[in-house]
């Protein structure tokens, strides 16, 4: 038997890879599984982005190693987006870094700032990758609670002085996965003051910042006064432009944090294919009409599905961001028991709230990344299972 490191042996399997295995096993048995667990966009990458990729793939210069910090076209596009959306100036050479997806960048950033035993304040409920990334960096995850009465904003007042003293980094994630919670600029200003008072680094995961509804527009941590003094923000094209498989994202913010992240990355990877970066630049330089079209589709799905869930006593608020429903399970069930019932009796994969932390008990996360017809089918099966037949 080949011995793996103790750190890897003690790392739990990635939640959604386990769901995928269950799905494959059921599918092999002839069961039509509807996966409402994973947040993978079902919509297509806009044609103009695909056309740009094809154009760039044909250029021999794009087949060489990319610059370690990213192609100039992509970084300039990120800088322009921050100026256009937030009126935040960024130096593309010192304050922006191209990533092979924001998930990779967050893990490398955590490794670049932690020493063994350092603590990280991470949201509970929160994206499971935060905890695994801290674990692999030999750090300690310190969960902090979110306030459901304030759109799941951080409950700063409930974080103890002891936890603050143990922590070096605090992770924010808005619009929030899994809760769909959103915040206004005031929350980021409060977070910056909290970070400065407690000598913390702020990491804002903005993977869903363009997936918003109504008149809500997600602000940036870097807009807050002093945000760049203590913070770094991670963006992704996966959700907003349906480019999940392309693996392209970025980091922006504090120069020292960017350079530390770049140092780790340059020793671990060689960067994303330049043609993908340049196609990403075309996406960021666009009018964002395709993003608005996506959001109208998700908004329609919320409006159709939420009332049907309510009929089963699965209660949820319509979020202002993400494509997730964070719903309370019906009375008499735990998160796990309800998710297991739906899988066993309806062939529906739902994510139990406890997969995102202890504070997720009593909730399930439902992803609306299927056409309405498929979502209707899922709801009909769930209703049948709830009736016991």
């Amino acid at each position: 038997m080949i011995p793996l490191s103790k750190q890897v042996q003690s790392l739990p399997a990635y939640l959604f890879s386990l769901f995928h295995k269950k799905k494959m096993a059921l599918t092999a048995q002839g069961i039509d599984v509807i996966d409402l667990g994973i947040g993978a966009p079902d919509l297509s990458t806009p044609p103009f982005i695909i056309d740009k990729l094809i154009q760039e793939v044909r250029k021999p210069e794009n087949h060489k190693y990319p610059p370690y910090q990213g192609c100039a076209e992509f970084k300039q596009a990120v800088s322009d987006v921050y100026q256009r959306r937030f009126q935040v100036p960024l130096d593309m050479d010192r304050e922006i870094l191209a990533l092979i997806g924001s998930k990779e960048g967050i893990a490398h950033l955590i490794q670049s700032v932690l020493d063994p035993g350092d603590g990280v304040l991470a949201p509970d409920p929160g994206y499971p990758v935060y905890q695994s990334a801290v674990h692999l960096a030999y750090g300690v995850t310190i969960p902090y609670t979110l306030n459901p009465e304030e759109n799941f904003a951080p409950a700063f007042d409930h974080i103890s002085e002891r936890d603050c003293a143990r922590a070096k980094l605090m992770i924010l994630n808005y619009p929030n996965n899994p809760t769909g919670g959103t915040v206004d600029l005031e929350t980021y200003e409060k977070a910056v003051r909290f970070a400065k008072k407690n000598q913390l680094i702020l990491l804002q995961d903005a993977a869903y910042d363009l997936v918003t509804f109504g008149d809500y527009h997600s602000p940036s941590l870097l807009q807050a006064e002093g945000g760049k003094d203590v913070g770094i923000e991670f963006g992704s094209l996966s959700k907003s432009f349906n480019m999940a498989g392309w693996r392209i994202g970025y980091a922006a913010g504090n120069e020292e944090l960017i350079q530390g992240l770049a140092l780790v990355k340059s020793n671990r990877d060689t960067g994303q294919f330049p043609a993908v970066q340049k196609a990403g630049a075309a996406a960021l330089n666009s009018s964002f009409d395709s993003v608005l079209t996506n959001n109208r589709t998700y908004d329609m799905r919320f409006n159709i599905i939420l009332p049907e869930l309510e009929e089963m006593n699965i209660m949820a608020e319509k979020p202002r961001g993400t494509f997730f429903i964070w719903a309370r399970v019906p009375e008499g069930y735990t998160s796990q028991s309800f998710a297991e019932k739906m899988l066993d009796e309806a062939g529906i994969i739902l994510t139990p709230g406890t997969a995102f932390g202890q504070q997720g008990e009593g909730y399930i996360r439902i992803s609306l990344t299927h056409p309405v017809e498929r979502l209707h089918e899922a709801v009909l099966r769930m209703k049948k299972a709830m009736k016991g037949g």
Side-chain angles (χ1 to χ4, degrees):
M1 182 176 178
I2 297 175
L4 300 176
S5 74
K6 292 180 180 178
Q7 207 69 357
V8 169
Q9 289 183 49
S10 59
L11 183 70
Y14 184 46
L15 170 73
F16 295 105
S17 68
L18 294 178
F19 285 161
H20 181 71
K21 288 182 179 179
K22 289 183 180 180
K23 180 179 177 180
M24 293 299 101
L26 291 170
T27 301
Q29 298 172 31
I31 297 173
D32 175 26
V33 179
I34 302 178
D35 187 351
L36 304 183
I38 194 166
D42 64 303
L43 305 173
S44 300
T45 305
F48 77 91
I49 300 174
I50 297 171
D51 290 343
K52 179 64 172 177
L53 176 68
I54 293 170
Q55 176 187 341
E56 296 297 333
V57 163
R58 297 184 186 281
K59 296 179 180 178
E61 62 267 26
N62 286 330
H63 293 219
K64 300 176 182 178
Y65 286 124
Y68 279 108
Q69 297 210 1
C71 296
E73 294 94 328
F74 182 72
K75 293 193 296 176
Q76 184 63 59
V78 173
S79 177
D80 291 345
V81 164
Y82 269 85
Q83 185 64 56
R84 186 168 70 245
R85 291 184 64 207
F86 308 120
Q87 294 75 57
V88 171
L90 290 172
D91 185 309
M92 76 170 194
D93 293 320
R94 298 197 298 267
E95 297 176 321
I96 296 172
L97 189 68
L99 305 174
I100 309 175
S102 59
K103 178 180 176 182
E104 165 266 308
I106 289 169
H108 281 150
L109 185 279
I110 289 171
Q111 186 175 42
S112 75
V113 299
L114 292 194
D115 288 313
D118 282 344
V120 175
L121 291 166
D124 181 4
Y127 184 37
V129 166
Y130 304 146
Q131 189 166 345
S132 59
V134 171
H135 177 81
L136 288 172
Y138 295 87
V140 178
T141 298
I142 305 170
Y144 71 86
T145 58
L146 306 179
N147 186 351
E149 304 301 320
E150 295 183 7
N151 284 320
F152 293 95
F156 293 107
D157 295 342
H158 293 174
I159 303 174
S160 69
E161 290 184 7
R162 178 176 179 272
D163 283 346
C164 289
R166 294 166 58 205
K168 186 173 184 179
L169 173 72
M170 181 176 188
I171 299 175
L172 307 172
N173 169 216
Y174 295 99
N176 181 261
N177 174 19
T179 69
T182 52
V183 297
D184 297 318
L185 184 57
E186 181 182 356
T187 298
Y188 289 141
E189 292 171 340
K190 187 182 296 186
V192 170
R193 292 193 295 269
F194 183 82
K196 289 189 173 183
K197 176 184 176 182
N198 294 289
Q199 297 182 308
L200 296 169
I201 297 164
L202 288 179
L203 185 166
Q204 153 62 356
D205 178 1
Y208 294 87
D209 73 325
L210 286 173
V211 185
T212 59
F213 313 108
D215 59 359
Y216 177 74
H217 299 284
S218 184
S220 166
L221 169 66
L222 305 184
Q223 285 179 280
E225 184 177 354
K228 276 203 287 186
D229 296 340
V230 295
I232 184 168
E233 189 161 73
F234 289 82
S236 170
L237 280 67
S238 294
K239 319 299 182 182
S240 48
F241 292 97
N242 308 319
M243 297 173 68
W246 297 55
R247 309 314 305 142
I248 182 69
Y250 58 83
N254 180 273
E255 179 179 349
E256 292 176 271
L257 293 175
I258 291 290
Q259 298 312 313
L261 172 57
L263 183 60
V264 171
K265 278 182 58 60
S266 64
N267 281 282
R268 287 291 182 88
D269 67 60
T270 313
Q272 183 52 279
F273 181 29
V276 170
Q277 292 191 51
K278 292 172 184 180
L284 294 176
N285 288 330
S286 71
S287 65
F288 286 19
D289 285 349
S290 63
V291 175
L292 295 176
T293 299
N294 292 343
N295 291 349
R296 284 192 289 268
T297 297
Y298 293 129
D299 193 43
M300 174 194 66
R301 293 175 183 178
F302 277 113
N303 292 337
I304 291 172
I305 298 304
L306 282 171
E308 296 199 42
L309 293 173
E310 190 172 341
E311 292 177 10
M312 292 182 277
N313 292 317
I314 301 174
M315 311 304 291
E317 298 286 335
K318 182 180 178 181
R320 295 191 296 176
T322 79
F323 39 60
F324 298 123
I325 294 174
W326 184 242
R328 289 195 174 275
V329 298
E331 189 174 348
Y333 294 94
T334 65
S335 296
Q336 188 68 30
S337 68
F338 187 74
E340 288 177 355
K341 179 181 178 67
M342 291 301 107
L343 180 57
D344 295 339
E345 299 180 23
I348 307 298
I349 295 179
L350 306 174
T351 310
T354 46
F356 302 100
Q358 292 183 358
Q359 298 302 316
E361 179 55 77
Y363 290 90
I364 50 169
R365 194 193 73 174
I366 302 172
S367 176
L368 297 188
T369 52
H370 288 274
V372 168
E373 297 77 16
R374 196 69 167 152
L375 293 172
H376 271 308
E377 170 67 19
V379 169
L380 288 173
R381 290 196 211 170
M382 291 171 69
K383 287 181 178 178
K384 185 177 180 181
M386 293 294 289
K387 291 177 181 177

